[in-house]
Amino acid sequence: YPKTNLISDDYEISNTVLGLGINGKVLQCHNKDNGQVYALKVLHDSLKARREVALHWRVSGFRHIVSIIDVYKNSYNGNVCFLVVMECMRGGELFQRIQNQQTGAFTEREAAKIMQEICSAVKYLHDRNIAHRDLKPENLLYTLPDQNGVLKLTDFGFAKEVNVHATLETPCYTPYYVAPEVLGPEKYDKSCDIWSLGVIMYINHGQAISPGMKKRIRTGQFDFPDPEWSGVSKDARDLIRGMLCVNPAKRLDIDQVMCNQWIAKYGEVPETPLYTGKMLKEGEETWPEVQEEMMRSLATMRVDYDQV
Ligand SMILES: O=C(Nc1cc(-c2cc3c([nH]2)[C@]2(CCCNC2)CNC3=O)ccn1)c1cccc(C(F)(F)F)c1
């Protein structure tokens, strides 16, 4: 349960802003006892904030999820806010890493390792009936800036519990007879996470998500143009097709993704150099558009599926 003493008893809060989240901003702070640096997310009390804290707290501690150290519930002149102290991820965001990839080209095996790490975080959530619903490169951070850095997922501002009523209200249904609509739209929330994984993997392979890209993906007309895709393994392309499948009911689920050879045996994926580094460097000016494009797509998916 959240601590109710003032956070300033235990932490020195710096005004270094590390970033802005959906429900609040992220500052740097350090613990007065051990002098350690942490990240602090300030959330003004609301149902969304309580849901974000509750869900993040439930999954904190998994290797590829940013862990929560402490949660304080403090009130400043009347309004209550939640103060979430997290481990400080010093390695920055995933694509900054790939962008300034110094040591030679970014290879397909590195892309496979990254995907395996993100997919294991998504599997951990989906197995607990939680959909993240805001999977994007900016929410994937490294613990350290060097090769030992571990990739972790953060920002549960859009996360939600799914399939929750399937277990409560209809305990008696036999899974293979129940009509899809009985399971409710929630099951689509998980499939929107899979779609995001597909886009992340597609970008990882050096495909700039041009504005036209979203239309092509939604209509399933995206392709694997040469020369970027010539060397990329068939497993990888089949996996992307399965994750970017337009019909959410036909899209792969996280277990099918995890057992694809490209993910399961990422250590054996050929070290084919990918165009990502070049694309992210050259495409620097298009990168913000790409991010906006992804934000819009995620927002539309959240609306679509919530209305199903
Ligand atoms: O962002 C850093 N550390 C960090 C950051 C977060 C963090 C949480 C959230 C976010 N970051 C974002 C910021 C905007 C982009 N999306 C992610 C929005 N939502 C969140 O919930 C959590 C833990 N450590 C960082 C980067 C480089 C150096 C350092 C430092 F110098 F402090 F070591 C910290």
Side-chain angles (χ1 to χ4, degrees):
Y1 286 93
K3 291 181 175 168
T4 49
N5 65 300
L6 278 179
I7 186 168
S8 44
D9 301 344
D10 312 331
Y11 290 88
E12 191 73 49
I13 301 172
S14 89
N15 44 24
T16 315
V17 179
L18 295 174
L20 298 175
I22 299 158
N23 295 328
K25 65 184 167 197
V26 183
L27 305 170
Q28 195 170 345
C29 66
H30 76 265
N31 184 297
K32 289 181 175 175
D33 296 345
N34 62 23
Q36 286 275 351
V37 173
Y38 294 95
L40 170 68
K41 191 168 186 181
V42 183
L43 298 167
H44 292 288
D45 190 11
S46 69
L47 267 183
K48 279 172 69 77
R50 290 171 185 237
R51 183 165 73 171
E52 171 173 351
V53 174
L55 291 179
H56 190 169
W57 225 347
R58 195 182 310 170
V59 295
S60 166
F62 179 62
R63 174 172 164 71
H64 295 294
I65 290 175
V66 173
S67 57
I68 289 182
I69 310 297
D70 263 327
V71 177
Y72 291 78
K73 184 179 178 190
N74 286 179
S75 57
Y76 299 107
N77 49 52
N79 43 24
V80 173
C81 61
F82 287 90
L83 301 147
V84 184
V85 181
M86 291 174 272
E87 62 174 307
C88 188
M89 305 293 283
R90 288 175 168 64
E93 295 170 14
L94 168 61
F95 279 171
Q96 281 156 2
R97 264 288 275 274
I98 300 181
Q99 212 156 14
N100 44 31
Q101 174 82 17
Q102 306 314 334
T103 53
F106 177 62
T107 69
E108 195 184 342
R109 182 175 301 176
E110 281 168 294
K113 180 173 185 292
I114 287 171
M115 285 310 296
Q116 199 276 338
E117 292 175 331
I118 305 172
C119 290
S120 55
V122 172
K123 175 166 173 53
Y124 191 82
L125 295 179
H126 287 190
D127 286 353
R128 286 156 185 76
N129 283 327
I130 294 173
H132 184 275
R133 304 205 307 163
D134 195 34
L135 287 178
K136 54 188 184 187
E138 304 88 304
N139 287 338
L140 291 158
L141 307 169
Y142 276 98
T143 50
L144 295 168
D146 59 25
Q147 294 317 315
N148 311 327
V150 175
L151 187 59
K152 301 197 181 189
L153 174 61
T154 191
D155 204 334
F156 287 76
F158 279 120
K160 78 186 263 196
E161 278 193 276
V162 291
N163 298 347
V164 67
H165 77 268
T167 42
L168 304 183
E169 285 147 31
T170 52
C172 58
Y173 79 80
T174 29
Y176 37 94
Y177 287 125
V178 75
E181 58 276 11
V182 169
L183 287 177
E186 288 81 6
K187 80 174 186 311
Y188 289 123
D189 285 309
K190 286 185 178 179
S191 63
C192 85
D193 283 343
I194 303 298
W195 184 84
S196 310
L197 288 174
V199 175
I200 291 171
M201 184 167 164
Y202 197 78
I203 300 176
N204 257 346
H205 279 76
Q207 292 312 304
I209 307 278
S210 62
M213 168 77 189
K214 181 184 138 197
K215 189 170 52 57
R216 281 209 304 278
I217 286 190
R218 287 177 78 88
T219 54
Q221 260 133 40
F222 65 93
D223 50 3
F224 296 108
D226 285 339
E228 290 94 351
W229 289 91
S230 46
V232 174
S233 60
K234 187 180 174 328
D235 277 344
R237 281 181 277 174
D238 292 347
L239 182 56
I240 292 183
R241 255 188 245 289
M243 294 197 282
L244 293 183
C245 176
V246 180
N247 175 349
K250 286 216 191 82
R251 202 169 297 157
L252 296 179
D253 67 20
I254 193 61
D255 289 321
Q256 292 167 314
V257 171
M258 296 296 280
C259 60
N260 172 290
Q261 291 309 301
W262 195 79
I263 297 282
K265 297 209 173 76
Y266 66 89
E268 295 162 24
V269 167
E271 294 186 278
T272 323
L274 296 172
Y275 282 72
T276 318
K278 194 156 75 75
M279 182 276 284
L280 287 179
K281 259 191 208 71
E282 277 168 15
E284 203 130 343
E285 61 287 347
T286 58
W287 182 234
E289 279 160 40
V290 169
Q291 286 173 300
E292 275 144 37
E293 188 58 43
M294 192 150 183
M295 299 272 266
R296 268 197 296 279
S297 312
L298 280 165
T300 34
M301 273 194 305
R302 277 193 290 269
V303 171
D304 294 351
Y305 296 147
D306 284 344
Q307 277 160 3
V308 157

